[in-house]
Amino acid sequence: MGIFGRKNTDATTAVATLPVDPALAALTGTYAIDPAHSSIGFTVRHAMVTNVRGSFAEHEGTLNLDGTNPGASSASIDVKIASIDTGIGDRDGHLRSGDFFDAEQFPLMTFRSTEAAQLGGDRYRVTGELTIKDVTKPLSIDLEFNGTATDPYGNERVGFEGSAEILRSDWGLTWNAALETGGVMVSDKVKLNFDISAIKAAA
């Protein structure tokens, strides 16, 4: 089932859209991301030899899905930096400090979509603006639509999962330390991971 229209890369032709079917049209509405059943996380190489994984426990967001005009769909997410959790308290404190996110001065990381395109099947690419420490840069997130369900409480849900890669230095996260054996303590490249469950608002 398609969510977003496929963007035509030829600027001289109109944007192609998928035929609208009743199941797709029924998805139209506003959805609130359910933080209890969603995760926003990251993976980064540490000391050149292993990966550190972490997540942000506190986040909220909205999906506006338009089933009759899928290209008009949009997404926004706000993430509370202070909620970062890598499983090590001292490391989390360092990440919250001015060496990295400076959570006291810049408490939120935000994403605002600007466009979306279908890659094929249930795979999509959502493009928007990611803001960290008051630095805003473009970001594209590859997503897979996992379908819809009605939970035991009568909530209508949609699910997406996906990922993106960024260079943290692009957002001013430049702290590092040299290793005696060569290389650096923390990789510049960071993989972002998204697993989203969102609940449709009552009409």
Side-chain angles (χ1 to χ4, degrees), residues 9 26 53 72 77 156 161:
T9 57
R53 293 174 174 84
I77 301 174
E156 296 181 52
E161 61 180 312

Side-chain angles (χ1 to χ4, degrees), residues 120-197:
D122 287 331
R123 297 182 300 113
Y124 302 89
R125 178 166 294 149
V126 177
T127 300
E129 296 182 335
L130 177 67
T131 300
I132 305 173
K133 297 179 72 173
D134 277 359
V135 176
T136 301
K137 298 281 186 179
L139 175 69
S140 292
I141 304 171
D142 287 346
L143 294 167
E144 182 173 354
F145 176 51
N146 288 337
T148 66
T150 300
D151 68 24
Y153 304 100
N155 297 312
E156 296 181 52
R157 293 179 178 268
V158 294
F160 296 88
E161 61 180 312
S163 62
E165 287 190 352
I166 66 171
L167 297 178
R168 60 189 179 91
S169 59
D170 287 345
W171 281 267
L173 302 174
T174 57
W175 183 92
N176 227 321
L179 301 174
E180 291 185 5
T181 53
V184 292
M185 181 70 73
V186 185
S187 171
D188 191 22
K189 183 166 64 177
V190 180
K191 183 177 181 180
L192 304 178
N193 306 295
F194 304 87
D195 199 342
I196 301 297
S197 177

Side-chain angles (χ1 to χ4, degrees), residues 73-135:
S73 300
S74 63
S76 64
I77 301 174
D78 294 338
V79 177
K80 188 174 180 181
I81 294 296
S83 70
I84 195 168
D85 181 9
T86 65
I88 303 294
D90 287 346
R91 181 166 59 206
D92 295 342
H94 190 199
L95 290 169
R96 295 184 190 107
S97 75
D99 282 345
F100 285 95
F101 287 105
D102 196 355
E104 184 172 347
Q105 185 173 355
F106 306 102
L108 291 179
M109 173 173 62
T110 67
F111 176 77
R112 301 289 183 266
S113 69
T114 56
E115 63 177 312
Q118 185 179 12
L119 302 179
D122 287 331
R123 297 182 300 113
Y124 302 89
R125 178 166 294 149
V126 177
T127 300
E129 296 182 335
L130 177 67
T131 300
I132 305 173
K133 297 179 72 173
D134 277 359
V135 176

